[in-house]
Every structure is written in C-alpha cells, then in structure tokens.
Amino acid sequence: MKKFTSVQDVPDLPDWLALARKVKAQPFDFQKYGKNKTLGLVFLNPSLRTRLSTQKAAQNLGMQVMVMNMQQDGWAIEMEDGTVMDGGTQEHIREAAGVLSQYCDIIGLRTFPGLKNREEDYAEKVLTKFIQNATVPVLSLESATRHPLQSFADLLTIEEFKGKPRPKVVLTWAPHPRALPQAVPNSFVEWMKNAEVDLSITHPEGWELAPEFGEGVPVHHNQDAALEGADFVYVKNWSAYQDYGRTGQELRSWMITPEKMQLTNQAKLMHCLPVRRNVVVADAVLDSPQSIVLQQASNRTYTAQTVLLKMLGYAG
Ligand code: CP
C-alpha cells in the first residue's frame, strides 16, 4: 500500500472495520509487523489527537516513532520546482521527502490548506509533491481537503454506538470565529457514502461543500428540520467553498444546544475536536451523556493502528 489519503485507498472497508475491532480488542497482538520499523510523523500544522493517537498506534505495533514539527524545528520548505531559492525557503520538498524516506518505513504528513487559493488547495499540491518525492508509503495526517484518519475513527464510533442497522446521521455546520478547512466534513461525507447510514447535511445557504464531496447527499438549510429523528449529530464548522474561506461567524443560532438535541432521536453528539465550547456546541450538550467525543477521540488510536498495520503488509 503506497499511500493512505482517502477512503479510495481502502480496498475493502468492511474488512478494515472488522480489523479495527480486532485491533481494539487486542492492541498488542500485532507487534511482529511493526518490530524494527520506523514511522516518521511530519507536521506542518498543529495537532494534539492526530499526533498522539498515531504515535500510540505505532507504539502498540512495536514501531519506533520520530516526530518532526517542521514549523518550529525544520527548515522552511520550498514547494515550487525550478525556483531560484534565494528567498525565505531553505530546503526543497524534493530533498525533504527524499531524506525522510532514508530514515522511515512509513511517513505521515499533516498539511492544512491556505484557504486563500481554492484551486491550489483542492489540487492537494503539498501532499501530492510529498508523495511524488517520497520513496516509502505516505499516510495523510490531514491534508488540504481530507482527514481520512479522523473519518475512519468516526465510522468505527458510529458502528459501535448505532442502535439500528441504518442510523440517521446528520452533519451540521456550526459557527466559528476563524476560517477552518473543509477537510473534516469533506472526508466525513466521503466515508459515510461508503457506509450503511442515512446521511444528510444541514448548513446555511452559501456553505455548500465542494460538488465532488456534496454530490448526492440531501442538504437542508433549516437546521431544526434536519435534526428531527437524527441518531447521530456530527457538528463541525467549515469555511465556505463558494466564497472561499468565509467564516459565517455571525450565524450564532447554528450552535448545537440542548433544545436542538431534543429534536433528535436521543442522538449521540460527535465532533472531531478541538471544539470551541458555547460557540460550536453548548457546554450542556458536550457535558451530557449524549456526547461521545471522547470515545471518538479514543478510536483514533485503533483506526490509525489498523491503517499502519495494512501499510506494513498485514493481509489477515
Ligand atoms: N481531530 C484532530 O485531528 O485533532 P488534532 O488537530 O488535534 O490532531
């Protein structure tokens, strides 16, 4: 397996889900696959969950882990080919990816979008160049347009908590003071399209997802109506795709409150975290038994472990 960047890299999702459950039940049973192997984690942006859960996943497999925070500790990376590098950048991505490949058996990369140039972000320039110049398999730790490790954990969590074969899952937009990427909702929708769920999306007009992600999924602009009967509410802010990067922070009425949760079928509340309390979700919801955000975060370890195991060649 040369890369893990989206659900399209997963040949058999039910098989991967079954393995994730097995890994979760016996996390240390697979160490022969990771022994004497090294995982490199390269962060161009901040992280808590992805960094630590992937590190723990690798350690559970007996792998050694090296973490590089490029912004603080690395040289400034040049992405363009043919550039005369007499400005601020000091190391070309060609050498950076090539050198990391000398030290690691698998490399994870986190790279956020700039949210200024939509075409550039949606071309996944940094991730693509990194993969092109690495000689070992590359794992996305969240890229400009997708967060597959998060989505895999989200799917496992829904599978664990669902009370019916095909639960109603509602992805709802919520306000946020800063422009956030569309990676989590894009990816969530992409994975849910491959799962046994009844998915719908609710957001204010103007916050449609990119057509390649939103296509075929019912969209409601009335949040209350959309939440009725939901078994899972996945709340997340994203900045606009059309008016690229627009926040909509003034739309405070879209915050998830106990009153809105009462419209649902006693839904479980999900969020990828970090979450801004009382902006995205009210305290009373996050602190209620309906919230499964910590269980969701816990599953990040086991789904990351499943992905690493497959990348290490596990065929069982
Ligand atoms: N959900 C998630 O990816 O969290 P971090 O940004 O902290 O890694």
Side-chain angles (χ1 to χ4, degrees), residues 100-119:
L100 283 158
S101 303
Q102 308 304 309
Y103 309 143
C104 305
D105 297 284
I106 300 173
I107 306 171
L109 177 71
R110 167 164 282 200
T111 173
F112 284 173
L115 292 176
K116 300 275 183 255
N117 181 330
R118 189 172 80 183
E119 281 63 41

Side-chain angles (χ1 to χ4, degrees), residues 43 46-51 110 112 141-142 147 150 184 272-274 300:
F43 287 88
S47 169
L48 188 158
R49 280 143 292 272
T50 306
R51 178 193 313 263
R110 167 164 282 200
F112 284 173
L141 304 172
E142 184 171 348
H147 195 352
Q150 179 67 52
V184 168
C272 62
L273 305 181
R300 293 291 307 271

Side-chain angles (χ1 to χ4, degrees), residues 170-243:
V170 179
L171 169 65
T172 178
W173 183 93
H176 195 283
R178 293 184 55 204
L180 297 189
Q182 294 113 34
V184 168
N186 283 347
S187 206
F188 182 72
V189 166
E190 199 170 48
W191 283 67
M192 288 301 117
K193 282 179 178 176
N194 286 275
E196 285 299 316
V197 300
D198 173 15
L199 176 68
S200 56
I201 309 175
T202 180
H203 59 69
E205 285 189 51
W207 274 268
E208 290 75 18
L209 295 177
E212 64 265 38
F213 293 99
E215 193 177 32
V217 183
V219 171
H220 306 278
H221 297 131
N222 180 330
Q223 189 189 37
D224 284 358
L227 292 174
E228 268 177 38
D231 299 301
F232 292 89
V233 174
Y234 197 105
V235 57
K236 181 72 182 84
N237 168 266
W238 62 89
S239 61
Y241 173 79
Q242 313 297 341
D243 185 2

Side-chain angles (χ1 to χ4, degrees), residues 80-94:
E80 300 298 334
D81 288 327
T83 310
V84 178
M85 286 174 58
D86 58 357
T89 54
Q90 293 141 316
E91 174 146 38
H92 202 279
I93 194 163
R94 284 174 179 260

